[in-house]
Amino acid sequence: MKVLGQLFGLQNGVATIFPALFFGVASIYAFHALARTRLHENASLFATAAYALYPGATFFVSAYPTSIMNLLVIITFLAFNKKRYFIAAIAAGVSTAGGALLVFF
């Protein structure tokens, strides 16, 4: 985030929000892709809306690694569903760098 701030001349606060927002939006799209593999169309749209609007989604616009952790966990499940176990293992392994709680995943 510090490099992003220096490259684009952003204040530290703004530089920390842009990556979180980007990965938060990406996690919403990835969640919808995952929901479509498991649910009917209407249910997947409802589940995606619930995911995007749940109170924890406020972390998608804050300087916490929640959005990238969510994205990596969703990618893990997507890869696992497609039987791409190596990609699932890589995504799960990288996600542990985002937060200590994901070590248990």
Side-chain angles (χ1 to χ4, degrees), residues 30-40 43-45 47-48 78:
F31 182 86
H32 184 64
L34 178 64
R36 283 182 23 211
T37 65
R38 310 298 278 173
L39 304 169
H40 296 292
S44 68
L45 288 172
T48 303
L78 277 169

Side-chain angles (χ1 to χ4, degrees), residues 48-62:
T48 303
Y51 173 74
L53 299 174
Y54 83 107
T58 57
F59 287 105
F60 293 170
V61 291
S62 62

